[in-house]
mmCIF file with all atom_site columns, all heavy atoms in Angstrom:
data_model
loop_
_atom_site.group_PDB
_atom_site.id
_atom_site.type_symbol
_atom_site.label_atom_id
_atom_site.label_alt_id
_atom_site.label_comp_id
_atom_site.label_asym_id
_atom_site.label_entity_id
_atom_site.label_seq_id
_atom_site.pdbx_PDB_ins_code
_atom_site.Cartn_x
_atom_site.Cartn_y
_atom_site.Cartn_z
_atom_site.occupancy
_atom_site.B_iso_or_equiv
_atom_site.pdbx_formal_charge
_atom_site.auth_seq_id
_atom_site.auth_comp_id
_atom_site.auth_asym_id
_atom_site.auth_atom_id
_atom_site.pdbx_PDB_model_num
ATOM 1   N N   . VAL A 1 80  ? 31.257 118.977 108.589 1.00 0.00 ? 80  VAL A N   1
ATOM 2   C CA  . VAL A 1 80  ? 31.905 118.750 107.297 1.00 0.00 ? 80  VAL A CA  1
ATOM 3   C C   . VAL A 1 80  ? 31.963 117.266 106.942 1.00 0.00 ? 80  VAL A C   1
ATOM 4   O O   . VAL A 1 80  ? 32.690 116.878 106.022 1.00 0.00 ? 80  VAL A O   1
ATOM 5   C CB  . VAL A 1 80  ? 33.318 119.374 107.264 1.00 0.00 ? 80  VAL A CB  1
ATOM 6   C CG1 . VAL A 1 80  ? 33.223 120.896 107.233 1.00 0.00 ? 80  VAL A CG1 1
ATOM 7   C CG2 . VAL A 1 80  ? 34.170 118.903 108.437 1.00 0.00 ? 80  VAL A CG2 1
ATOM 8   N N   . ARG A 1 102 ? 47.764 116.611 128.471 1.00 0.00 ? 102 ARG A N   1
ATOM 9   C CA  . ARG A 1 102 ? 48.154 115.967 129.731 1.00 0.00 ? 102 ARG A CA  1
ATOM 10  C C   . ARG A 1 102 ? 49.612 116.257 130.059 1.00 0.00 ? 102 ARG A C   1
ATOM 11  O O   . ARG A 1 102 ? 50.350 116.804 129.234 1.00 0.00 ? 102 ARG A O   1
ATOM 12  C CB  . ARG A 1 102 ? 47.922 114.454 129.623 1.00 0.00 ? 102 ARG A CB  1
ATOM 13  C CG  . ARG A 1 102 ? 46.459 114.090 129.390 1.00 0.00 ? 102 ARG A CG  1
ATOM 14  C CD  . ARG A 1 102 ? 46.281 112.648 128.966 1.00 0.00 ? 102 ARG A CD  1
ATOM 15  N NE  . ARG A 1 102 ? 44.885 112.348 128.668 1.00 0.00 ? 102 ARG A NE  1
ATOM 16  C CZ  . ARG A 1 102 ? 44.477 111.298 127.961 1.00 0.00 ? 102 ARG A CZ  1
ATOM 17  N NH1 . ARG A 1 102 ? 45.380 110.433 127.486 1.00 0.00 ? 102 ARG A NH1 1
ATOM 18  N NH2 . ARG A 1 102 ? 43.190 111.108 127.729 1.00 0.00 ? 102 ARG A NH2 1
ATOM 19  N N   . PRO A 1 124 ? 36.334 119.708 127.767 1.00 0.00 ? 124 PRO A N   1
ATOM 20  C CA  . PRO A 1 124 ? 35.503 119.968 128.949 1.00 0.00 ? 124 PRO A CA  1
ATOM 21  C C   . PRO A 1 124 ? 34.759 121.296 128.842 1.00 0.00 ? 124 PRO A C   1
ATOM 22  O O   . PRO A 1 124 ? 35.251 122.258 128.251 1.00 0.00 ? 124 PRO A O   1
ATOM 23  C CB  . PRO A 1 124 ? 36.526 120.003 130.091 1.00 0.00 ? 124 PRO A CB  1
ATOM 24  C CG  . PRO A 1 124 ? 37.818 120.387 129.439 1.00 0.00 ? 124 PRO A CG  1
ATOM 25  C CD  . PRO A 1 124 ? 37.776 119.816 128.053 1.00 0.00 ? 124 PRO A CD  1
ATOM 26  N N   . THR A 1 150 ? 9.701  154.030 133.514 1.00 0.00 ? 150 THR A N   1
ATOM 27  C CA  . THR A 1 150 ? 10.998 154.674 133.326 1.00 0.00 ? 150 THR A CA  1
ATOM 28  C C   . THR A 1 150 ? 11.836 153.798 132.391 1.00 0.00 ? 150 THR A C   1
ATOM 29  O O   . THR A 1 150 ? 11.525 152.613 132.193 1.00 0.00 ? 150 THR A O   1
ATOM 30  C CB  . THR A 1 150 ? 11.737 154.829 134.659 1.00 0.00 ? 150 THR A CB  1
ATOM 31  O OG1 . THR A 1 150 ? 12.060 153.511 135.160 1.00 0.00 ? 150 THR A OG1 1
ATOM 32  C CG2 . THR A 1 150 ? 10.880 155.583 135.679 1.00 0.00 ? 150 THR A CG2 1
ATOM 33  N N   . ASP A 1 199 ? 28.729 117.036 124.038 1.00 0.00 ? 199 ASP A N   1
ATOM 34  C CA  . ASP A 1 199 ? 29.852 116.088 124.020 1.00 0.00 ? 199 ASP A CA  1
ATOM 35  C C   . ASP A 1 199 ? 30.636 116.348 122.731 1.00 0.00 ? 199 ASP A C   1
ATOM 36  O O   . ASP A 1 199 ? 30.248 115.908 121.644 1.00 0.00 ? 199 ASP A O   1
ATOM 37  C CB  . ASP A 1 199 ? 29.332 114.651 124.058 1.00 0.00 ? 199 ASP A CB  1
ATOM 38  C CG  . ASP A 1 199 ? 30.460 113.612 124.142 1.00 0.00 ? 199 ASP A CG  1
ATOM 39  O OD1 . ASP A 1 199 ? 31.643 114.001 124.029 1.00 0.00 ? 199 ASP A OD1 1
ATOM 40  O OD2 . ASP A 1 199 ? 30.142 112.411 124.300 1.00 0.00 ? 199 ASP A OD2 1
ATOM 41  N N   . GLY A 1 253 ? 37.732 123.528 94.516  1.00 0.00 ? 253 GLY A N   1
ATOM 42  C CA  . GLY A 1 253 ? 37.988 124.793 95.203  1.00 0.00 ? 253 GLY A CA  1
ATOM 43  C C   . GLY A 1 253 ? 37.365 125.957 94.468  1.00 0.00 ? 253 GLY A C   1
ATOM 44  O O   . GLY A 1 253 ? 36.376 125.809 93.727  1.00 0.00 ? 253 GLY A O   1
ATOM 45  N N   . ASP A 1 283 ? 36.903 158.694 121.263 1.00 0.00 ? 283 ASP A N   1
ATOM 46  C CA  . ASP A 1 283 ? 37.564 159.636 122.166 1.00 0.00 ? 283 ASP A CA  1
ATOM 47  C C   . ASP A 1 283 ? 37.671 159.151 123.606 1.00 0.00 ? 283 ASP A C   1
ATOM 48  O O   . ASP A 1 283 ? 38.512 159.654 124.362 1.00 0.00 ? 283 ASP A O   1
ATOM 49  C CB  . ASP A 1 283 ? 36.806 160.974 122.161 1.00 0.00 ? 283 ASP A CB  1
ATOM 50  C CG  . ASP A 1 283 ? 36.743 161.603 120.779 1.00 0.00 ? 283 ASP A CG  1
ATOM 51  O OD1 . ASP A 1 283 ? 37.620 161.308 119.951 1.00 0.00 ? 283 ASP A OD1 1
ATOM 52  O OD2 . ASP A 1 283 ? 35.793 162.378 120.526 1.00 0.00 ? 283 ASP A OD2 1
ATOM 53  N N   . VAL A 1 284 ? 36.839 158.176 123.991 1.00 0.00 ? 284 VAL A N   1
ATOM 54  C CA  . VAL A 1 284 ? 36.781 157.770 125.395 1.00 0.00 ? 284 VAL A CA  1
ATOM 55  C C   . VAL A 1 284 ? 37.087 156.281 125.567 1.00 0.00 ? 284 VAL A C   1
ATOM 56  O O   . VAL A 1 284 ? 38.090 155.905 126.179 1.00 0.00 ? 284 VAL A O   1
ATOM 57  C CB  . VAL A 1 284 ? 35.392 158.104 126.005 1.00 0.00 ? 284 VAL A CB  1
ATOM 58  C CG1 . VAL A 1 284 ? 35.349 157.694 127.478 1.00 0.00 ? 284 VAL A CG1 1
ATOM 59  C CG2 . VAL A 1 284 ? 35.076 159.588 125.844 1.00 0.00 ? 284 VAL A CG2 1
ATOM 60  N N   . LEU A 1 300 ? 52.974 140.934 130.750 1.00 0.00 ? 300 LEU A N   1
ATOM 61  C CA  . LEU A 1 300 ? 52.980 139.514 130.384 1.00 0.00 ? 300 LEU A CA  1
ATOM 62  C C   . LEU A 1 300 ? 54.234 139.150 129.599 1.00 0.00 ? 300 LEU A C   1
ATOM 63  O O   . LEU A 1 300 ? 54.866 138.116 129.850 1.00 0.00 ? 300 LEU A O   1
ATOM 64  C CB  . LEU A 1 300 ? 51.721 139.181 129.578 1.00 0.00 ? 300 LEU A CB  1
ATOM 65  C CG  . LEU A 1 300 ? 50.407 139.246 130.360 1.00 0.00 ? 300 LEU A CG  1
ATOM 66  C CD1 . LEU A 1 300 ? 49.216 139.170 129.411 1.00 0.00 ? 300 LEU A CD1 1
ATOM 67  C CD2 . LEU A 1 300 ? 50.322 138.125 131.391 1.00 0.00 ? 300 LEU A CD2 1
ATOM 68  N N   . PHE A 1 391 ? 36.645 146.700 140.244 1.00 0.00 ? 391 PHE A N   1
ATOM 69  C CA  . PHE A 1 391 ? 37.620 145.672 140.614 1.00 0.00 ? 391 PHE A CA  1
ATOM 70  C C   . PHE A 1 391 ? 38.372 145.071 139.430 1.00 0.00 ? 391 PHE A C   1
ATOM 71  O O   . PHE A 1 391 ? 39.147 144.137 139.610 1.00 0.00 ? 391 PHE A O   1
ATOM 72  C CB  . PHE A 1 391 ? 36.916 144.554 141.389 1.00 0.00 ? 391 PHE A CB  1
ATOM 73  C CG  . PHE A 1 391 ? 36.321 145.027 142.689 1.00 0.00 ? 391 PHE A CG  1
ATOM 74  C CD1 . PHE A 1 391 ? 34.950 145.212 142.813 1.00 0.00 ? 391 PHE A CD1 1
ATOM 75  C CD2 . PHE A 1 391 ? 37.132 145.335 143.770 1.00 0.00 ? 391 PHE A CD2 1
ATOM 76  C CE1 . PHE A 1 391 ? 34.405 145.668 143.999 1.00 0.00 ? 391 PHE A CE1 1
ATOM 77  C CE2 . PHE A 1 391 ? 36.595 145.783 144.955 1.00 0.00 ? 391 PHE A CE2 1
ATOM 78  C CZ  . PHE A 1 391 ? 35.221 145.960 145.082 1.00 0.00 ? 391 PHE A CZ  1
ATOM 79  N N   . MET A 1 399 ? 42.702 141.183 143.229 1.00 0.00 ? 399 MET A N   1
ATOM 80  C CA  . MET A 1 399 ? 41.797 142.319 143.359 1.00 0.00 ? 399 MET A CA  1
ATOM 81  C C   . MET A 1 399 ? 40.363 141.900 143.059 1.00 0.00 ? 399 MET A C   1
ATOM 82  O O   . MET A 1 399 ? 39.424 142.312 143.746 1.00 0.00 ? 399 MET A O   1
ATOM 83  C CB  . MET A 1 399 ? 42.227 143.432 142.397 1.00 0.00 ? 399 MET A CB  1
ATOM 84  C CG  . MET A 1 399 ? 41.551 144.780 142.655 1.00 0.00 ? 399 MET A CG  1
ATOM 85  S SD  . MET A 1 399 ? 42.110 145.607 144.165 1.00 0.00 ? 399 MET A SD  1
ATOM 86  C CE  . MET A 1 399 ? 40.685 145.425 145.225 1.00 0.00 ? 399 MET A CE  1
ATOM 87  N N   . GLN A 1 430 ? 31.730 126.812 140.293 1.00 0.00 ? 430 GLN A N   1
ATOM 88  C CA  . GLN A 1 430 ? 32.527 127.867 139.666 1.00 0.00 ? 430 GLN A CA  1
ATOM 89  C C   . GLN A 1 430 ? 33.155 128.759 140.725 1.00 0.00 ? 430 GLN A C   1
ATOM 90  O O   . GLN A 1 430 ? 34.338 129.129 140.629 1.00 0.00 ? 430 GLN A O   1
ATOM 91  C CB  . GLN A 1 430 ? 31.652 128.698 138.735 1.00 0.00 ? 430 GLN A CB  1
ATOM 92  C CG  . GLN A 1 430 ? 32.395 129.819 138.019 1.00 0.00 ? 430 GLN A CG  1
ATOM 93  C CD  . GLN A 1 430 ? 31.463 130.692 137.198 1.00 0.00 ? 430 GLN A CD  1
ATOM 94  O OE1 . GLN A 1 430 ? 30.264 130.434 137.094 1.00 0.00 ? 430 GLN A OE1 1
ATOM 95  N NE2 . GLN A 1 430 ? 32.008 131.752 136.624 1.00 0.00 ? 430 GLN A NE2 1
ATOM 96  N N   . THR A 1 506 ? 34.096 142.980 157.739 1.00 0.00 ? 506 THR A N   1
ATOM 97  C CA  . THR A 1 506 ? 34.245 144.248 158.457 1.00 0.00 ? 506 THR A CA  1
ATOM 98  C C   . THR A 1 506 ? 35.464 144.234 159.372 1.00 0.00 ? 506 THR A C   1
ATOM 99  O O   . THR A 1 506 ? 36.182 145.229 159.493 1.00 0.00 ? 506 THR A O   1
ATOM 100 C CB  . THR A 1 506 ? 32.979 144.542 159.277 1.00 0.00 ? 506 THR A CB  1
ATOM 101 O OG1 . THR A 1 506 ? 31.854 144.570 158.396 1.00 0.00 ? 506 THR A OG1 1
ATOM 102 C CG2 . THR A 1 506 ? 33.094 145.871 160.007 1.00 0.00 ? 506 THR A CG2 1
ATOM 103 N N   . GLY A 1 569 ? 30.070 137.448 98.795  1.00 0.00 ? 569 GLY A N   1
ATOM 104 C CA  . GLY A 1 569 ? 31.263 138.151 98.338  1.00 0.00 ? 569 GLY A CA  1
ATOM 105 C C   . GLY A 1 569 ? 31.885 137.417 97.169  1.00 0.00 ? 569 GLY A C   1
ATOM 106 O O   . GLY A 1 569 ? 31.373 136.382 96.715  1.00 0.00 ? 569 GLY A O   1
ATOM 107 N N   . PRO A 1 583 ? 44.776 137.078 94.856  1.00 0.00 ? 583 PRO A N   1
ATOM 108 C CA  . PRO A 1 583 ? 43.666 136.501 95.623  1.00 0.00 ? 583 PRO A CA  1
ATOM 109 C C   . PRO A 1 583 ? 44.044 135.242 96.394  1.00 0.00 ? 583 PRO A C   1
ATOM 110 O O   . PRO A 1 583 ? 43.347 134.864 97.329  1.00 0.00 ? 583 PRO A O   1
ATOM 111 C CB  . PRO A 1 583 ? 42.612 136.198 94.551  1.00 0.00 ? 583 PRO A CB  1
ATOM 112 C CG  . PRO A 1 583 ? 43.375 136.080 93.277  1.00 0.00 ? 583 PRO A CG  1
ATOM 113 C CD  . PRO A 1 583 ? 44.525 137.045 93.408  1.00 0.00 ? 583 PRO A CD  1
ATOM 114 N N   . ASP A 1 614 ? 60.080 119.114 100.387 1.00 0.00 ? 614 ASP A N   1
ATOM 115 C CA  . ASP A 1 614 ? 60.380 118.506 99.088  1.00 0.00 ? 614 ASP A CA  1
ATOM 116 C C   . ASP A 1 614 ? 59.260 117.610 98.575  1.00 0.00 ? 614 ASP A C   1
ATOM 117 O O   . ASP A 1 614 ? 59.312 117.150 97.428  1.00 0.00 ? 614 ASP A O   1
ATOM 118 C CB  . ASP A 1 614 ? 61.677 117.698 99.176  1.00 0.00 ? 614 ASP A CB  1
ATOM 119 C CG  . ASP A 1 614 ? 62.891 118.588 99.431  1.00 0.00 ? 614 ASP A CG  1
ATOM 120 O OD1 . ASP A 1 614 ? 62.860 119.757 99.009  1.00 0.00 ? 614 ASP A OD1 1
ATOM 121 O OD2 . ASP A 1 614 ? 63.846 118.112 100.078 1.00 0.00 ? 614 ASP A OD2 1
ATOM 122 N N   . ALA A 1 624 ? 43.545 132.644 101.108 1.00 0.00 ? 624 ALA A N   1
ATOM 123 C CA  . ALA A 1 624 ? 42.822 133.362 100.066 1.00 0.00 ? 624 ALA A CA  1
ATOM 124 C C   . ALA A 1 624 ? 42.142 134.589 100.656 1.00 0.00 ? 624 ALA A C   1
ATOM 125 O O   . ALA A 1 624 ? 42.014 134.729 101.879 1.00 0.00 ? 624 ALA A O   1
ATOM 126 C CB  . ALA A 1 624 ? 41.790 132.444 99.408  1.00 0.00 ? 624 ALA A CB  1
#
Side-chain angles (χ1 to χ4, degrees):
V80 289
R102 298 167 184 162
T150 66
D199 184 353
D283 301 335
V284 181
L300 292 169
F391 297 105
M399 193 71 252
Q430 181 185 356
T506 302
D614 294 331

